[in-house]
Amino acid sequence: LKPDLSGDFSQLMEWADGVRRLKVRTNAETPDDAATARGFGAEGIGLCRTEHMFFDPARIISMREMILADTEKGRRAALDKLLPYQRQDFIDLFRIMKGLPVTIRLLDPPLHEFLPHGDAEIAEVANAAGVAEAVVRRRILELSEANPMLGHRGCRLGISYPEIYEMQTRAIFEAAIEVSKDGGDPVIPEIMIPLIIGKKELEILKAVIINVASEVEAEKSAKLEFLVGTMIELPRAALKAGEIAEEAEFFSFGTNDLTQTTYGLSRDDASRFLDTYISKDIFAGDPFVSLDQEGVGELVRIAAERGRKTRSDIKLGICGEHGGDPSSIAFCDQLGLDYVSCSPYRVPIARLAAAQAALKS
Ligand code: PEP
Ligand code: MG
């Protein structure tokens, strides 16, 4: 069901847009979501979670082949098969968002999330990959972690297996060149690194990205413009934001992980004692819905200040679920962030909340 944004509502939204300071982007990785969000007035994509792009049956086979490979050569061969899909993904998104910024986050979740579960699926995958079932089982065991959300994910994967980020970056650049040929403003992709704890990871991965850019420029005889930035979603990254900003052209606050790691509380299990904690006044509400302005918000404030001190024009946004929550949006407005990014159906709410926040201040 699509809300009707015409008539009086559209007039109201126009007034809201006239007063708000915050830009409103969307979190989207499918063409449908991106188009819906643009229809609702999204001013770009603030977070494209690329991991969601690998679950399609045609792609998951190559993804698993990549994970099962135990040599770099094997991984690269599988990644080569994924490249055309990724390129097309980004071509579609750049076309839908033409003229607006698109932030693409490189692969974030632990690799075992892509591996099969259960005997039947394991047998099927082994068969498709031409390996023994024992190989698949061994890899699942090797990759399993006690705390996957605190484990080998985000930029840690990019550091261990740079070829994954190379493939994704190449797809982004090739797509940008392709869509820029349509005419109008050239596509300037924003490449975002997840889960860093400090400047060093960004330095290493930025070098990988710049290297791919030079290769693609030479191959296509084209000039690329792009931004490299990072998620700020771990407390250490928030505290080290001053140094990180030396390497980052933008920060996007991943307040889902930042809340999880600041509270030491799994975002998937918080509901177990949430009501009790709220009834005893320990939590004011669900901190995963409405930003905890004192604790997590303080880290966001510190990071914004330190980031700006190093790079006065650093672009600052938020892409955790809080980016679509009115009271959190008001907080982002107070901090002077540049944009919030939220799910497509929250875009109109965010436009109104951003206007309300501006009017109140
Ligand atoms: C976040 O952590 O807030 C975020 C946007 O990333 P994800 O939800 O994909 O971990
Ligand atoms: Mg995150």
Side-chain angles (χ1 to χ4, degrees):
L1 188 70
K2 296 207 168 174
D4 179 10
L5 297 189
S6 59
D8 290 349
F9 194 79
S10 121
Q11 177 66 66
L12 177 67
M13 296 307 271
E14 222 174 276
W15 288 332
D17 291 345
V19 291
R20 70 185 158 92
R21 288 182 291 251
L22 281 167
K23 293 265 184 197
V24 176
R25 298 198 197 178
T26 192
N27 297 351
E29 44 279 330
T30 65
D32 269 2
D33 276 357
T36 302
R38 189 157 192 174
F40 288 161
E43 295 160 302
I45 291 181
L47 172 64
C48 164
R49 292 178 163 105
T50 55
E51 54 272 13
H52 292 180
M53 296 164 155
F54 295 105
F55 285 100
D56 177 86
R59 306 169 182 211
I60 190 81
I61 296 175
S62 306
M63 189 63 177
R64 287 171 171 164
E65 203 179 305
M66 193 274 293
I67 298 168
L68 291 171
D70 48 12
T71 62
E72 187 188 324
K73 193 162 165 245
R75 283 193 294 277
R76 284 191 186 278
L79 287 163
D80 280 350
K81 294 185 206 161
L82 289 166
L83 174 65
Y85 291 113
Q86 277 276 264
R87 190 193 303 120
Q88 192 57 49
D89 290 331
F90 301 137
I91 288 176
D92 293 343
L93 292 180
F94 291 150
R95 286 224 162 98
I96 291 164
M97 285 289 161
K98 194 76 203 286
L100 297 173
V102 174
T103 305
I104 296 166
R105 182 179 72 188
L106 302 183
L107 196 73
D108 184 20
L111 292 181
H112 66 75
E113 280 200 6
F114 300 97
L115 288 178
H117 304 282
D119 291 348
E121 246 202 321
I122 289 174
E124 197 184 313
V125 168
N127 197 22
V131 295
E133 278 181 40
V135 172
V136 181
R137 288 182 199 283
R138 194 192 63 218
R139 197 74 182 119
I140 292 171
L141 270 182
E142 278 167 4
L143 290 175
S144 72
E145 294 172 295
N147 287 308
M149 292 309 279
L150 301 178
H152 198 188
R153 59 173 279 229
C155 67
R156 298 162 192 170
L157 286 177
I159 303 266
S160 302
Y161 308 113
E163 53 277 11
I164 301 178
Y165 281 9
E166 280 173 22
M167 181 281 284
Q168 292 194 289
T169 311
R170 172 172 281 276
I172 293 168
F173 290 145
E174 291 182 357
I177 291 173
E178 186 63 30
V179 177
S180 295
K181 285 187 203 150
D182 295 351
D185 291 337
V187 177
I188 304 178
E190 302 182 354
I191 301 178
M192 182 152 78
I193 310 291
L195 215 78
I196 66 161
I197 53 165
K199 174 178 146 182
K200 188 73 195 175
E201 292 146 310
L202 202 51
E203 257 172 20
I204 294 171
L205 294 170
K206 221 172 132 178
V208 170
I209 293 168
I210 289 169
N211 192 38
V212 174
S214 313
E215 280 175 17
V216 175
E217 283 181 329
E219 287 162 20
K220 307 266 176 203
S221 307
K223 187 88 199 97
L224 281 163
E225 277 184 81
F226 58 94
L227 304 182
V228 179
T230 183
M231 304 276 299
I232 298 287
E233 53 186 341
L234 294 176
R236 190 179 194 280
L239 296 173
K240 302 297 281 178
E243 277 178 24
I244 293 170
E246 289 167 20
E247 294 293 331
E249 289 165 290
F250 62 90
F251 287 167
S252 184
F253 292 101
T255 46
N256 303 332
D257 272 309
L258 194 57
T259 301
Q260 168 164 266
T261 49
T262 303
Y263 276 62
L265 170 60
S266 158
R267 63 203 248 196
D268 302 315
D269 299 320
S271 60
R272 302 220 176 143
F273 57 93
L274 187 68
D275 289 347
T276 313
Y277 258 47
I278 291 175
S279 73
K280 294 192 184 296
D281 226 10
I282 301 170
F283 287 173
D286 185 340
F288 289 99
V289 173
S290 191
L291 190 75
D292 157 36
Q293 299 184 11
E294 290 170 21
V296 179
E298 187 61 15
L299 285 166
V300 174
R301 183 197 310 278
I302 289 170
E305 282 170 6
R306 293 184 185 172
R308 281 197 187 114
K309 204 162 165 207
T310 302
R311 190 187 286 260
S312 58
D313 64 347
I314 190 163
K315 225 195 287 186
L316 301 175
I318 176 176
C319 62
E321 290 308 311
H322 306 92
D325 166 66
S327 70
S328 313
I329 292 170
F331 181 73
C332 295
D333 180 75
Q334 273 171 30
L335 289 190
L337 300 194
D338 297 292
Y339 65 89
V340 297
S341 189
C342 56
S343 59
Y345 284 91
R346 290 231 148 223
V347 168
I349 296 165
R351 286 163 69 193
L352 288 172
Q356 231 158 20
L359 284 173
K360 272 194 197 145
S361 63

